[in-house]
């Protein structure tokens, strides 16, 4: 299996196999390769099932209401009339803060629904994507899937991340 694409670190690798650096004469440069006997795929699928469990764990907190801390951020980021006007978040500061992608995502969530539910689902999705990225990074560093999966699950389940999911601006 060649790990050359930007998201290839999410592809399962064999946990016992060491990655071998193979010099390539192609313009892409050296490529990382590892044999695949299916163990990494099983661990990756297990991680995905565990992330489904993480979603179910956080589900009870997915309420259709905002917290008091969310309102100031909503008021400053939902007043744009259309997408082109919303792009102005890239050229203007919000007080001392400059977080244009977060502000644009708040506006996009508000266009979907006026309740807090899609905001919470977006935050949960971002948390799960961060967990998968952490898994991929740790798997490359440790060259083993199982320890990377365990560490990623600890990250996903840690109670401090409930703030990232239940408060709208936790996505920063």
């Amino acid at each position: 299996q060649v790990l050359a694409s930007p998201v290839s670190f999410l592809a399962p690798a064999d946990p016992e196999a060491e990655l071998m650096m193979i010099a390539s004469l192609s313009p892409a440069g050296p490529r990382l390769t590892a044999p695949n006997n299916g163990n990494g795929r099983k661990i990756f699928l297990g991680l995905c099932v565990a992330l489904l469990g993480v979603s179910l764990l956080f589900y009870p907190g997915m309420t259709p209401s905002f917290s008091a801390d969310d309102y100031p951020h909503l008021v400053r980021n939902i007043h744009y009339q259309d997408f082109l006007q919303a792009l102005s978040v890239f050229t203007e500061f919000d007080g001392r803060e400059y977080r244009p992608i977060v502000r644009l995502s708040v506006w996009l969530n508000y266009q979907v629904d006026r309740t807090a539910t899609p905001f919470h689902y977006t935050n949960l999705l971002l948390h799960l994507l961060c967990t998968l990225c952490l898994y991929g990074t740790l798997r490359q560093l440790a060259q083993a899937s199982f320890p990377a999966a365990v560490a990623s699950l600890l990250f996903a389940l840690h109670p401090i991340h409930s703030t990232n999911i239940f408060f709208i601006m936790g996505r920063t």
Side-chain angles (χ1 to χ4, degrees), residues 16 24-25 42-43 48 50 58-59 66 72 76 82-83 85 105-107 110-111 117 132 139 141 143 150:
E16 280 78 36
S24 173
L25 299 176
K42 290 176 188 174
I43 291 172
C48 289
F58 285 118
Y59 181 76
F66 295 103
R76 290 195 304 261
D82 58 26
F83 186 71
Q85 189 181 10
S105 71
V106 167
W107 181 78
Y110 190 74
Q111 300 309 306
T117 305
L132 286 174
R139 201 203 62 185
L141 291 173
Q143 298 182 2
V150 170

Side-chain angles (χ1 to χ4, degrees), residues 33-88:
T33 62
N36 187 1
N37 67 6
N39 288 342
R41 185 171 310 278
K42 290 176 188 174
I43 291 172
F44 181 75
L45 290 175
L47 180 65
C48 289
V49 169
L51 290 179
L52 178 63
V54 169
S55 300
L56 293 174
L57 179 72
F58 285 118
Y59 181 76
M62 303 290 186
T63 61
S65 59
F66 295 103
S67 71
D69 291 342
D70 293 333
Y71 289 107
H73 297 288
L74 287 170
V75 168
R76 290 195 304 261
N77 293 304
I78 61 173
H79 64 279
Y80 303 111
Q81 299 300 316
D82 58 26
F83 186 71
L84 289 177
Q85 189 181 10
L87 289 177
S88 68

